[in-house]
Amino acid sequence: MERRTLIKSLMAAPLLSGLAAAGSAGAAPSTGELLRPARLRRGMTVGLVTPASNAWEDEDIRFAIDVVKSLGFKVKEGANLYQRTQYLAGPDAARAEDFNRMFADPEVDAVFCLRGGYGTPRILPMLDYATIRQNPKILLGYSDITALLNAIHERCGLITFHGPIAAQNFTDYTLEEFSKVLVRGEFPVRLGEAPPFEGSPGRVERRNRVTRFRGGSARGRLIGGNLTLMCSLLGTPFEPDFRDKILFLEDVGEAPYRIDRMLTQLWLAGKLDEVNGIVFGKFTDAETSGNTFSVEHVLRERSAGLEVPVVRGLMIGHVDDQTVVPVGAMAELDGDSGALILQEPVVS
Amino acid sequence: MERRTLIKSLMAAPLLSGLAAAGSAGAAPSTGELLRPARLRRGMTVGLVTPASNAWEDEDIRFAIDVVKSLGFKVKEGANLYQRTQYLAGPDAARAEDFNRMFADPEVDAVFCLRGGYGTPRILPMLDYATIRQNPKILLGYSDITALLNAIHERCGLITFHGPIAAQNFTDYTLEEFSKVLVRGEFPVRLGEAPPFEGSPGRVERRNRVTRFRGGSARGRLIGGNLTLMCSLLGTPFEPDFRDKILFLEDVGEAPYRIDRMLTQLWLAGKLDEVNGIVFGKFTDAETSGNTFSVEHVLRERSAGLEVPVVRGLMIGHVDDQTVVPVGAMAELDGDSGALILQEPVVS
């Protein structure tokens, strides 16, 4: 789902003017230990890293470099970009060192992940959290990158960003979400709204409607990302604090019974009772053949006993039109309208 | 892998004489809160339950009943045996009530699970642990049943049994392992040794050899079962205590990167450093196509830094020839010879 071989909307460089025009969207008050990285500006240098799996093909690496350049940035290639060790982009120590170096490097302004796959939990103990804390930068990625986003926010107080990988096409939708969060630094602003109809109305409505599971309104800091990765942090020293958070979850390629098992683990661990609200993003390629509950049933049932707003269907996850969700930022979840509203600046 | 439609070795009832001859294999000293259930004897009544998924077909239920009868027991059918609610054998409350009732019922001497599948984590908070503690009985099953085996041992002190489901064929090997642990109550006794050659030597050797990852000898009480289920207990109130244990693990249908992720979670949670030894059983149908590490590589690598004996290949898991492992019993793991030796009586 992540792989794209065409740049749809970037090569015409519509963002360049947006980047050039980007100014301050308001003062960024420090909230305790919260660290806001510098917003993206034209000409900045983006470090491109592979902390999890390697690129599928070399052409995907060149594509990712083109994507980042077309967004208006210089690219600093990670040392491990072309490494392949089965499903990992090189040995753990090398991937961790590459990642740490990008935060230490004064030439690098932001860090984008080329892709997810699998591998970030393996390097969590090898990250240099002190250096990351001393050099706050935008960190962008999703899927397996979820472990990094949440662990780094937890340990460093840095706001991190659940959003597109570099090796994917940026649709107009994705580009606009990316721009409003990371470039223009807008707030308050709605994140991940269902895009307007494309293609046949029936199909798009089914996929892109935001569904209310439980109404009401709640505030909290955002944590979450990939459900599998969030569960794989449970019981470890990298388990995030779920209390009073707005939890967002997505996944890909997991059968409903697996989604059930993972949500049941979060429930048994008390996490679903600790959060102030839940946003289910997209659960794509869920292998729903056979004698199974639907994903909708599983999500709805596990939410049924909760007393917080729960919505489903925001554009979070393995989809072409994808929003950017800042991990650690204060947000409001309006369960009645299905809106997730960013409440504070997330870049400085 | 669990499903079998033929009874191979049971209908000739070779076990009946064994059951009739079963006597006391020695006094069972109480070790703290440890509870040993009564050994299996001919004519006992076995409660047949479906705490996870339903049977595939009604004929599988009839088959399971025939298996239990052919072992020399009467069968008390669980109220949920024929229930099907998508991948569950009926609603959670009904499955939990059925399970609780079997332990409370004075007519029922032992509880066998018809199959695993998925669903036991959902009912963990609904089990009547006090009643189970007051009515210690043999509980037998594996795969998804892992959550019950470990949670019940943890909460009740009852020794539970990781072994065949009722809806599977008992090979000669399986029957002998079943008999020596649950009927004859032997100790000290080796569990899960690789069976002798069957079929072509090359194939069998590859599958059934016990491999030493790290030598040495260790003692500890047994915990474990299905890797996925053990991980799904982490961070929950049903997480077992891993300290000083001999941990045994198996899985089915999980790609190496998933096995990697789960072992990494156990490692990050400190559990691999807490145990006194590790026994990897069988990891069947592991989807090893594509650009992936082998299962062997994943298991070996995650064990490399440990200072306890680690072996791979005992007959634990989704295989025809399957042993019975008593959860909670004291065992010795000899990493040099690859032997897992039960050190105390597990039935009374």
Side-chain angles (χ1 to χ4, degrees), chain A residues 54 84-88 92 117-118 121-126 144 228-229 231-239 252-254 256-258 260-262 264-271 287 291-294 298 301-302, chain B residues 54 84-88 92 117-118 121-126 144 228-229 231-239 252-254 256-258 260-262 264-271 287 291-294 298 301-302:
Chain A
N54 48 275
R84 292 188 177 86
T85 309
Q86 274 67 39
Y87 48 69
L88 300 172
D92 293 343
Y118 169 70
R122 298 172 56 101
I123 66 169
L124 288 178
M126 305 173 192
D144 192 71
T228 299
L229 270 292
C231 280
S232 79
L233 296 176
L234 293 179
T236 80
F238 304 97
E239 175 183 310
V252 61
E254 301 294 340
Y257 84 90
R258 289 180 182 263
D260 181 336
R261 189 179 58 222
M262 292 188 281
T264 296
Q265 182 173 11
L266 287 175
W267 170 64
L268 288 175
K271 304 309 183 189
E287 303 174 24
N291 188 19
T292 179
F293 291 110
S294 66
V298 169
E301 185 199 39
R302 221 12 119 210
Chain B
N54 47 276
R84 291 188 178 85
T85 311
Q86 273 68 37
Y87 48 69
L88 301 172
D92 293 343
Y118 169 70
R122 299 171 56 100
I123 64 168
L124 289 177
M126 305 172 192
D144 192 71
T228 300
L229 271 292
C231 281
S232 78
L233 296 176
L234 292 179
T236 79
F238 304 97
E239 176 183 309
V252 61
E254 300 294 339
Y257 85 90
R258 289 180 184 262
D260 182 336
R261 189 179 58 221
M262 291 188 282
T264 296
Q265 183 173 9
L266 287 174
W267 169 65
L268 288 175
K271 305 307 183 189
E287 303 174 23
N291 187 21
T292 179
F293 290 110
S294 65
V298 169
E301 186 200 38
R302 218 14 116 209

Side-chain angles (χ1 to χ4, degrees), chain A residues 42 61 68 86 114 152 156 172 281 301 324 347:
Chain A
R42 185 178 182 173
I61 302 170
V68 178
Q86 274 67 39
L114 187 136
I152 288 173
C156 305
D172 292 343
E301 185 199 39
V324 173
V347 287

